[in-house]
């Protein structure tokens, strides 16, 4: 469904990704783990065209999307939950969701679906989003991305700054979203949790893929456990 | 929605509009006979200021871009419309009240084009840098008019037909209010608001950021141009000095003082910034000290502006329905 071929990207003169190859199949949940500065977030930003790659191609459903603008990519069915959530703090929860569905014609059924996923959002619909707790903001960010009806959901560190219990809830929901047929590419520091809910994983190191394989394999690999899972 | 209820809604809206126009006209007539012309002038200036503040509110308050060049767009509207009605009269038509209305509208359209041009650099610039570009642009516009002899140069333009009045100014102000009100409650309006809070996230949600920045610049400039046209045809005289940097700053003060992003806040700010210097006239030249002092005090007491992000009626508890 999504394929990155020889991606090179960076900021200014600083190169971050050096010839990265990556693939996500339809219906899969794929985790992208690695140390700080490995380039995980840059991968997602390149896919959704927030930055332009210097070389290489991004293929989505077999078509090259690396020349498209960000809003065109959303229309193709690719939705990005940015790092630190990026909610619109001065808009209400409901308005945030409306902007999320900006490319779609939303009906009340769409809102019902996300409210079932995260009931707390229904209670807070009229509250301004900046007043939500970190966990609720993450739920809002995910719901907002879902309202553009993505085929592929890009999640950047959904567990950032959240309590373990809330993280667990978020990960359960991600599993549920994936079981309903949405493909997920998940970037995480919390490698344990990410490997648990994903089928395959990539380990990034300074802009290159260091290991790739099924999540079970990676969990079992001693070297990786020592280097990335902190054991 | 069924057809009859839609019709009823339309009828209701048409009635409200008609009543509003009748009331405006009535008040206009009363003001002409009843009120000291000086007060009328202050009231009309409030209306013009309100249009300026409402329009700047779209860029500065809603889209989160910092523009310091509103006087420039106002100048475009004023000079274009005044040129049509005075210097280059296309027959008798532009001298009539209706013709002046058309000229003011054309001024607004030309100002929108100018806004489009300034909107383009805003795609790459943010905050202070954008403020400098818009400031430079408005100064450029002013200096251009200063050096065109056909529009009077530094002496300005005289003998502009005086056809805008309380009625026309407040009709346009109401139109601006309804326009921005409807805009901000539409999907597009929310997209503009999303820009202010997080541009990257808005982009990732499929909002075409560059498009909306330029559009908000153009719309805002259009109404600034209309305010300029109304101003020109109310004063009967304009010169480049009327549209200098200090006027841009005054409009920014109105928006910030009233509360960024709040429509009623913009209007309130416009009224305060227009009326306050007038009411301080008893202090003579001391008012130049007192006015800024009052502004500083207000900002200290309410750093987010008088109303903050909210509208004025949100401060009163809602009646149970």
């Amino acid at each position: 469904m999504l394929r990155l071929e020889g991606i090179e990207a960076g900021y200014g003169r600083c190169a971050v990704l050096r010839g990265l190859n990556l693939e996500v199949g339809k219906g899969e949940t794929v985790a992208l783990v690695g140390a700080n500065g490995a380039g995980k977030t840059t991968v997602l930003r390149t896919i959704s065209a927030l930055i332009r790659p210097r070389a290489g191609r991004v293929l989505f459903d077999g078509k090259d999307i690396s020349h498209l603008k960000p809003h065109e990519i959303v229309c193709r069915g690719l939705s990005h939950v940015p790092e630190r959530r990026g909610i619109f703090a001065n808009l209400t929860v409901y308005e945030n969701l409306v902007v999320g569905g900006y490319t779609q014609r939303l009906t009340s059924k769409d809102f019902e679906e996300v409210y079932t996923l995260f009931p707390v959002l229904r209670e807070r619909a009229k509250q301004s989003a900046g007043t939500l707790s970190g966990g609720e903001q993450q739920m809002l960010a995910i719901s907002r991305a879902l309202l553009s009806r993505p085929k592929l959901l890009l999640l950047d560190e959904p567990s950032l700054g959240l309590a373990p219990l809330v993280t667990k809830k978020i990960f359960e929901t991600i599993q549920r979203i994936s079981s309903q047929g949405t493909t997920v590419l998940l970037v995480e520091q919390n490698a344990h949790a990410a490997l648990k809910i994903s089928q395959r994983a990539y380990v990034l190191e300074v802009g290159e893929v260091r290991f790739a394989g099924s999540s079970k394999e990676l969990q079992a690999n001693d070297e990786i456990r020592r280097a990335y899972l902190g054991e | 929605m069924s057809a009859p209820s839609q019709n009823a809604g339309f009828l209701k809206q048409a009635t409200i509009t008609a009543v509003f126009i009748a009331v405006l006209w009535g008040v206009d007539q009363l003001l002409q006979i009843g009120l000291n012309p000086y007060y009328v002038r202050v009231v009309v200036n409030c209306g013009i200021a309100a249009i300026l503040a409402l329009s700047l509110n779209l860029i500065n308050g809603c889209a989160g871009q910092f523009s310091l060049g509103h006087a420039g767009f106002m100048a475009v509207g004023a000079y274009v419309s005044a040129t049509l009605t005075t210097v280059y009269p296309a027959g008798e038509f532009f001298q009539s009240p209706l013709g002046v209305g058309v000229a003011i509208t054309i001024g607004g359209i030309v100002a929108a084009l100018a806004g489009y041009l300034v909107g383009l650099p805003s795609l790459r610039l943010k905050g202070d840098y954008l403020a400098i570009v818009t400031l430079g642009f408005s100064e450029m516009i002013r200096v251009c008019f200063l050096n065109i002899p056909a529009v009077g140069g530094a002496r300005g333009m005289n003998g502009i037909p005086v056809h805008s009045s309380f009625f026309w100014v407040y009709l346009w102000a109401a139109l601006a209010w309804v326009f921005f009100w409807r805009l901000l409650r539409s999907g597009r309006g929310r997209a503009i608001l999303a820009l202010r809070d997080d541009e990257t996230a808005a982009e990732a949600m499929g909002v075409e950021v560059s498009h909306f920045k330029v559009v908000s610049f153009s719309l805002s400039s259009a109404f600034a141009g209309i305010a300029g046209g109304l101003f020109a045809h109310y004063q009967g005289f304009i010169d480049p000095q009327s549209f200098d940097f200090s006027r841009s700053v005054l409009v920014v003060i109105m928006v910030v003082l009233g509360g960024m992003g709040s429509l009623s806040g913009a209007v309130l700010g416009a009224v305060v910034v227009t009326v306050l210097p007038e009411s301080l006239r008893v202090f003579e030249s001391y008012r130049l000290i007192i006015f800024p002092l009052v502004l500083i005090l207000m900002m200290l007491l309410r750093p987010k502006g008088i109303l903050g992000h909210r509208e004025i009626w949100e401060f009163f508890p809602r009646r149970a329905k």
Side-chain angles (χ1 to χ4, degrees), chain A residues 48-69:
Chain A
S48 52
L50 295 173
I51 57 173
R52 300 242 159 246
R54 290 184 196 145
R57 298 197 301 165
V58 182
L59 296 170
F60 184 59
D61 278 343
K63 287 185 204 96
D64 189 356
I65 58 165
S66 38
H67 60 279
L68 293 181
K69 297 209 176 98

Side-chain angles (χ1 to χ4, degrees), chain A residues 45 50 70-71 74 80 82 86-91 95 98-100 102-103 144-145, chain B residues 187-188 190-191 193-198 200-208 212 309:
Chain A
R45 291 176 66 93
L50 295 173
H71 68 271
V74 180
H80 184 168
I87 56 150
F88 308 123
N90 290 306
L91 301 190
E95 286 172 328
V98 171
V99 175
Y102 180 73
T103 55
R144 194 181 58 180
Chain B
R188 283 157 201 278
R190 294 217 175 82
L193 288 168
L195 270 187
R196 172 187 64 192
D197 283 353
D198 195 320
T200 313
E203 209 163 23
M205 291 300 106
V207 173
E208 205 179 340
F212 279 106
H309 277 316

Side-chain angles (χ1 to χ4, degrees), chain A residues 7 23 108 118 178 186:
Chain A
I7 291 291
E23 201 167 342
S108 55
F118 298 112
S178 124
L186 173 67

Side-chain angles (χ1 to χ4, degrees), chain B residues 245-310:
Chain B
F245 176 54
S246 65
R247 186 176 291 270
S248 293
V249 172
L250 273 182
V251 185
V252 172
I253 292 174
M254 292 171 197
V255 173
V256 174
L257 186 73
M260 302 268 256
S262 157
L263 291 186
S264 44
V267 174
L268 190 64
V271 171
V272 170
V273 172
T274 314
V275 172
L276 197 58
E278 298 295 337
S279 64
L280 292 175
R281 274 194 197 277
V282 282
F283 299 107
E284 293 172 356
S285 49
Y286 287 109
R287 76 196 172 97
L288 298 176
I289 303 170
I290 298 172
F291 177 54
L293 212 61
V294 172
L295 292 180
I296 292 171
L297 275 178
M298 279 183 162
M299 289 323 283
L300 281 177
L301 293 174
R302 294 200 70 96
K304 283 189 160 177
I306 302 175
L307 299 184
H309 277 316
R310 296 188 283 175

Side-chain angles (χ1 to χ4, degrees), chain A residues 6-185:
Chain A
I7 291 291
E8 284 173 32
Y11 306 93
R13 279 163 59 192
C14 161
V16 179
L17 303 180
R18 305 152 190 220
L20 181 112
N21 296 301
L22 187 149
E23 201 167 342
V24 181
K26 196 168 167 54
E28 270 189 316
T29 299
V30 174
L32 205 55
V33 296
N36 291 107
K40 305 185 296 294
T41 298
T42 310
V43 171
L44 294 196
R45 291 176 66 93
T46 311
I47 297 172
S48 52
L50 295 173
I51 57 173
R52 300 242 159 246
R54 290 184 196 145
R57 298 197 301 165
V58 182
L59 296 170
F60 184 59
D61 278 343
K63 287 185 204 96
D64 189 356
I65 58 165
S66 38
H67 60 279
L68 293 181
K69 297 209 176 98
H71 68 271
E72 292 167 332
I73 286 177
V74 180
C75 296
R76 299 269 171 116
L78 213 154
S79 196
H80 184 168
V81 181
E83 195 177 13
R84 294 175 204 292
R85 308 184 269 269
I87 56 150
F88 308 123
N90 290 306
L91 301 190
T92 65
V93 168
Y94 173 78
E95 286 172 328
N96 266 272
L97 295 175
V98 171
V99 175
Y102 180 73
T103 55
Q104 306 289 326
R105 208 163 257 285
L106 294 182
T107 62
S108 55
K109 197 169 149 263
D110 294 292
F111 288 97
E112 279 310 311
E113 270 170 30
V114 300
Y115 288 155
T116 342
L117 220 49
F118 298 112
V120 67
L121 294 183
R122 189 201 302 271
E123 293 163 34
R124 308 237 188 260
K126 283 186 181 154
Q127 221 166 302
S128 82
T131 63
L132 299 185
S133 75
E136 289 161 351
Q137 289 188 8
Q138 187 64 57
M139 296 175 197
L140 176 59
I142 295 175
S143 310
R144 194 181 58 180
L146 285 177
L147 281 176
S148 68
R149 303 198 184 113
K151 291 183 233 164
L152 172 61
L153 187 63
L154 307 174
L155 290 166
D156 199 348
E157 298 241 9
S159 74
L160 190 77
L162 302 185
L165 211 64
V166 182
T167 308
K168 199 168 153 245
K169 166 111 209 305
I170 297 272
F171 275 95
E172 280 166 13
T173 315
I174 295 172
Q175 268 183 307
R176 209 163 127 195
I177 293 166
S178 124
S179 71
Q180 286 165 1
T182 309
T183 312
V184 178
L185 178 57

